[in-house]
């Protein structure tokens, strides 16, 4: 039991870090699952790897509670209206992923949830991060605050989020890349990416829970609780790190890291296994 809980803690740590950094949580989880096998069924593990994200999402809700709360008595009427507008942009940004992802979720998993695809997308988006940052160094961002984000830009960023339906892409990576290309600062791109994740990941977790059912053993329930709790704590640290990092640095190191990880995934699963 202790060994199994240590495995869950490690999975929670990896989820909490990789969910927010643009390095693909799926790529890391595939590698980790290869070497750390939880004593659970395949169906439960499939559900767990999605539902554990609830802990990560709660971290965003806690850190940004005031900013995301339109009913805060400490906000002026204008600030409340700005918060309603922000939620509107989040909802609009989620529509492309809902329209495409919801009806084709099972088909996408069946076609693309494999090491070959993950290795390819890790490397591809790693290269794109480097290319976009090279291109971006000669441009000044035109959107430097969330209030400056238009509904048109929000839905275009949402279209980039659709790319993350392919495993290994990284939801945060796709939305951040898209936002930077559309003229946002790195800080705005990161924050908006965090907020876009709230309805998307709550919805994905709910669907997986409903699909699996509510019949858990005491051990399975403990696995879910511990995994989400660890992901929550680590996510708070990862989010604070990323926001501090993007104030003075670009995303090239993440691109290099993705290329290296993609190469490791490719070599292990396609050549060694």
């Amino acid at each position: 039991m202790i060994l199994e809980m240590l495995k869950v803690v490690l999975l929670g740590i990896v989820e909490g870090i990789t969910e927010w950094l643009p390095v693909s949580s799926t790529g890391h989880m595939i590698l980790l699952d290869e070497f750390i096998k939880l004593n659970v069924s395949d169906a439960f593990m499939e559900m767990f790897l999605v539902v554990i994200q609830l802990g990560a999402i709660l971290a965003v809700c806690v850190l940004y509670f005031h900013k995301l709360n339109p009913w805060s008595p400490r906000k002026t009427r204008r600030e409340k209206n700005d918060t309603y507008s922000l939620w509107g942009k989040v909802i609009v940004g989620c529509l492309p992923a809902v329209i495409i992802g919801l009806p084709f979720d099972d088909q996408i998993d069946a076609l693309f949830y494999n090491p070959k695809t993950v290795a390819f997308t890790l490397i591809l988006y790693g290269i794109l991060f480097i290319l976009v940052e090279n291109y971006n160094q000669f441009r000044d961002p035109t959107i430097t605050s969330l209030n400056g984000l238009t509904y048109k830009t929000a839905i275009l960023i949402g279209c980039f989020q659709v790319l993350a339906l392919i495993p290994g892409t990284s939801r945060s990576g796709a939305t951040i890349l898209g936002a930077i290309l559309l003229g946002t600062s790195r800080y705005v791109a990161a924050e908006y990416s965090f907020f876009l994740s709230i309805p998307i990941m709550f919805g994905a977790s709910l669907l997986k829970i409903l699909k699996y059912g509510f019949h858990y053993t005491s051990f399975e329930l403990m696995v879910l609780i511990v995994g989400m709790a660890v992901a929550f704590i680590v996510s708070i640290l990862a989010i604070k790190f990323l926001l501090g990092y993007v104030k003075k640095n670009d995303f090239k190191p993440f691109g290099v890291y993705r290329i290296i990880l993609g190469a490791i995934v490719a070599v292990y699963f396609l050549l060694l296994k």
Side-chain angles (χ1 to χ4, degrees):
M1 176 68 78
I2 294 176
L3 180 59
E4 293 301 303
M5 285 300 107
L6 288 176
K7 293 178 184 178
V8 175
V9 168
L10 183 56
L11 287 167
I13 291 172
V14 173
E15 166 61 28
I17 294 173
T18 60
E19 189 59 54
W20 307 114
L21 305 187
V23 294
S24 173
S25 60
T26 302
H28 288 77
M29 288 299 190
I30 281 180
L31 268 180
L32 201 59
D33 185 53
E34 181 66 19
F35 298 103
I36 300 176
K37 297 288 187 182
L38 275 180
N39 189 23
V40 295
S41 67
D42 290 341
F44 177 83
M45 193 63 188
E46 179 186 348
M47 181 272 296
F48 170 74
L49 291 178
V50 175
V51 176
I52 193 177
Q53 296 172 347
L54 283 177
I57 287 301
L58 288 174
V60 175
C61 296
V62 169
L63 286 173
Y64 286 98
F65 181 77
H66 177 70
K67 193 166 192 173
L68 294 172
N69 179 16
W71 304 291
S72 172
R74 292 186 290 151
K75 286 185 175 180
T76 64
R77 181 176 294 276
R78 180 175 180 177
E79 288 173 331
K80 290 178 180 179
N81 288 336
D82 286 342
T83 306
Y84 283 120
S85 177
L86 173 59
W87 274 111
K89 294 167 189 174
V90 167
I91 292 170
V92 164
C94 289
L95 290 179
V98 172
I99 292 171
I100 296 175
L102 195 59
F104 300 109
D105 179 59
D106 290 338
Q107 293 92 326
I108 290 171
D109 277 354
L111 284 172
F112 299 114
Y113 196 90
N114 58 72
K116 184 177 180 179
T117 299
V118 170
F120 175 77
T121 51
L122 278 169
I123 294 171
L124 173 63
Y125 284 91
I127 294 170
L128 288 176
F129 259 116
I130 295 171
L131 293 177
V132 168
E133 285 291 8
N134 285 338
Y135 166 71
N136 202 52
Q137 65 183 331
F138 302 110
R139 302 165 66 222
D140 291 323
T142 56
I143 303 170
T144 56
S145 71
L146 287 169
N147 287 337
L149 195 70
T150 65
Y151 278 89
K152 178 182 177 181
T153 304
I155 199 165
L156 288 174
I157 295 173
C159 291
F160 279 93
Q161 184 170 234
V162 172
L163 298 173
L165 294 172
I166 307 299
T169 298
S170 170
R171 191 203 55 77
S172 62
T175 53
I176 287 172
L177 267 180
I180 291 174
L181 283 172
L182 292 167
T184 75
S185 67
R186 296 185 188 93
Y187 195 91
V188 170
E191 277 202 327
Y192 185 63
S193 174
F194 297 158
F195 301 154
L196 272 183
S197 69
I198 297 174
I200 287 292
M201 289 163 65
F202 264 120
S205 297
L206 180 61
L207 286 175
K208 288 294 183 182
I209 290 173
L210 291 175
K211 183 178 178 180
Y212 182 80
F214 295 90
H215 308 292
Y216 305 111
T217 65
S218 58
F219 173 71
E220 289 174 339
L221 195 57
M222 187 179 299
V223 166
L224 283 175
I225 293 171
V226 172
M228 287 191 291
V230 174
F232 170 78
I233 294 169
V234 176
S235 288
I236 288 178
L237 300 175
I239 290 169
K240 288 184 175 181
F241 164 78
L242 184 61
L243 291 178
Y245 175 87
V246 298
K247 289 180 180 178
K248 297 180 180 179
N249 304 279
D250 61 26
F251 287 104
K252 286 183 185 178
F254 294 109
V256 173
Y257 177 83
R258 289 180 63 101
I259 293 169
I260 293 171
L261 180 64
I264 292 172
V265 172
V267 168
Y268 178 78
F269 284 99
L270 303 182
L271 298 179
L272 299 180
K273 190 174 178 182

